């Protein structure tokens, strides 16, 4: 028997013992678990419970203490090891009851804090990007809540009996940045993405990111518990109530990306179905459509991403050039907008109506060169591209095919990926989306579309 401890870096295990030869050790282990308090069992002590049963967290904003009441869970974490991003809808415990969204995640300490980026861009009149309210590093018992020092209490994993073997296996498994987050067990180095339990991308995503520490020095890896609070909330863009609403939201998100890029010099660097939001609630004062999730964002004037090495983004939507190792640039993210729309047209047959597995689900895990070749093959020839749309676009999204073809022409001139920037691409893409949203054929009733041919 072994006793395992799982955390945001991975897992560590005790030496094995024989429960038949050492029954006292077994009893001691079981009793130990029975007498643990909530914090020792892994519950977050920074989330507290009020006398009337409300869960809340405390923050210090503008030198004034505030209580944020957690109203509901918006996005649960889909993993143990990794960023483990969790989002709550909450409100400030005041007369106004200001609604906010709290994003809780475990970040590599070498990365620039998403909260600081949001705070900076909030001063530069950026539009259609989630607006900043507060950010903080979580402290527990007066100490930064991180894995190495607070969770593992400074445990030196290099002294483990299998450390040399584990380290060698990590090196043999190749580039740890390839799919991002790692799960550390006695088989150190087996890779899983941060969304490690779901087979298909929507509604979760698989992001590609890495720690900037040397890939064969696992003892240096750490994650820090951080929170970001923003004022805007909505739903993922694939849940838009109509095709026109989807197109308008994409146009607004491209406007937001352009604003972020040109006014703040920041590239969002992870355009995906989960990071493009739409707000169709008349009582919601958030942007009608907006970008979220800047924890992989890149400041354009820097040599490298915010503490990142390797590729960043969500694999299914990554630009061909990024998969081939190019330095991240704005036209790569504009290409990602194209892949987002392409993906939605294949995987949804109505607002939020996921169709299940398709031939494109391998994009979540194909190695970089194979995925780049696959995407190049799709866009290289217009006739072939038309056939792919005819075969794979769902009946609901078939009316968008002619406009997706127009987007292909501007994103991939003459069927080839872009290798240099042209800021005119912003306007070209937005114009196509705007014209498409006004086309009466695009916004026909869903009932009429259902009369069309079925999917192959």
């Amino acid at each position: 028997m072994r006793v395992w401890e799982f955390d945001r870096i991975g897992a560590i295990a005790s030496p094995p013992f024989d429960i038949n030869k050492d029954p006292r050790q077994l009893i001691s282990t079981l009793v130990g678990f029975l007498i643990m308090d909530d914090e020792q069992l892994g519950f977050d002590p920074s989330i507290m419970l009020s006398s009337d049963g409300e869960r809340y967290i405390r923050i210090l904003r503008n030198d004034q203490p505030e209580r944020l009441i957690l109203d509901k869970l918006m996005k649960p974490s889909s993993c143990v090891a990794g960023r483990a991003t969790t989002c709550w809808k909450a409100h400030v415990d005041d007369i106004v009851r200001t609604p906010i969204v709290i994003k809780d995640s475990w970040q590599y300490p070498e990365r620039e804090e998403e909260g600081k980026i949001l705070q900076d861009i909030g001063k530069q009149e950026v539009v259609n990007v989630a607006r900043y309210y507060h950010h903080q590093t979580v402290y527990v018992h007066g100490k930064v809540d991180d894995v190495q020092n607070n969770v593992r209490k400074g445990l030196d994993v290099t002294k483990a009996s299998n450390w040399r073997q584990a380290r060698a296996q990590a090196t043999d498994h190749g580039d740890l940045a390839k799919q991002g987050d790692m799960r550390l067990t006695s088989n150190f180095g087996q890779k899983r993405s941060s969304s490690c339990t779901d087979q298909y991308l929507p509604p979760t995503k698989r992001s590609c990111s890495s720690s900037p520490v040397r890939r064969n020095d696992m003892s240096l890896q750490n994650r820090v518990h951080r929170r970001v609070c923003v004022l805007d909330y909505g739903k993922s863009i694939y849940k838009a109530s109509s095709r026109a609403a989807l197109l308008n939201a994409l146009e607004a998100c491209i406007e937001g990306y352009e604003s972020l890029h040109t006014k703040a010099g920041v590239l969002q660097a992870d355009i995906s179905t989960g990071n493009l939001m739409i707000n169709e609630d008349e009582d919601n004062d958030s942007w009608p459509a907006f970008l979220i999730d800047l924890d992989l964002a890149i400041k354009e004037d820097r040599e490298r991403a915010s503490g990142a090495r390797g590729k960043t983004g969500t694999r299914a939507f990554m630009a061909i050039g990024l998969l081939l190792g190019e330095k991240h640039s704005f036209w790569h993210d504009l290409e990602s907008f194209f892949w987002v729309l392409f993906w939605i047209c294949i995987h949804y047959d109505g607002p939020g109506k996921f169709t299940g597995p398709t031939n494109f689900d391998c994009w979540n895990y194909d190695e970089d060169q194979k995925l780049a070749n696959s995407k190049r093959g799709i866009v290289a020839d217009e006739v072939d591209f038309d056939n792919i749309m005819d075969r794979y676009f769902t009946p609901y999204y078939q009316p968008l095919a002619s406009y997706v073809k127009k987007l292909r022409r501007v994103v991939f001139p003459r069927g080839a990926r872009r290798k240099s920037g042209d800021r005119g691409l912003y306007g070209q893409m937005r114009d196509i989306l705007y014209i498409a949203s006004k086309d009466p054929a695009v916004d026909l009733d869903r009932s009429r579309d259902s009369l069309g041919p079925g999917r192959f």
Side-chain angles (χ1 to χ4, degrees), residues 353-381:
K353 187 179 178 182
F354 185 48
T355 60
T358 72
N359 289 346
F360 297 87
D361 294 315
C362 60
W363 286 12
N364 294 321
Y365 48 79
D366 276 348
E367 60 91 16
D368 294 346
Q369 185 66 56
K370 184 177 180 180
L371 180 52
N373 291 342
S374 175
K375 290 185 173 183
R376 278 192 294 200
I378 285 173
V379 299
D381 182 84

Side-chain angles (χ1 to χ4, degrees), residues 236-289:
S236 296
I237 198 168
Y238 59 84
K239 297 179 181 178
S241 62
S242 68
R243 292 181 291 265
L246 169 68
L247 296 169
N248 287 329
L250 276 171
E251 181 191 355
C253 287
I254 291 176
E255 180 185 11
Y257 182 91
E258 181 180 15
S259 175
L260 182 67
H261 174 212
T262 58
K263 293 182 178 180
V266 172
L267 308 180
Q268 194 266 358
D270 188 14
I271 299 300
S272 67
T273 53
N275 290 338
L276 307 179
M277 308 299 289
I278 184 171
N279 165 28
E280 298 185 278
D281 183 355
E282 294 181 356
D283 297 325
N284 183 350
D285 292 331
S286 304
W287 296 109

Side-chain angles (χ1 to χ4, degrees), residues 103-105 107-109 111 113 136-137 224-227:
K103 175 184 174 182
D104 181 289
S105 61
Q107 302 292 331
Y108 289 125
R111 291 192 181 276
E113 293 186 46
Q136 66 178 26
T137 297
V224 178
H225 192 184
R226 292 172 176 162
R227 291 193 179 117

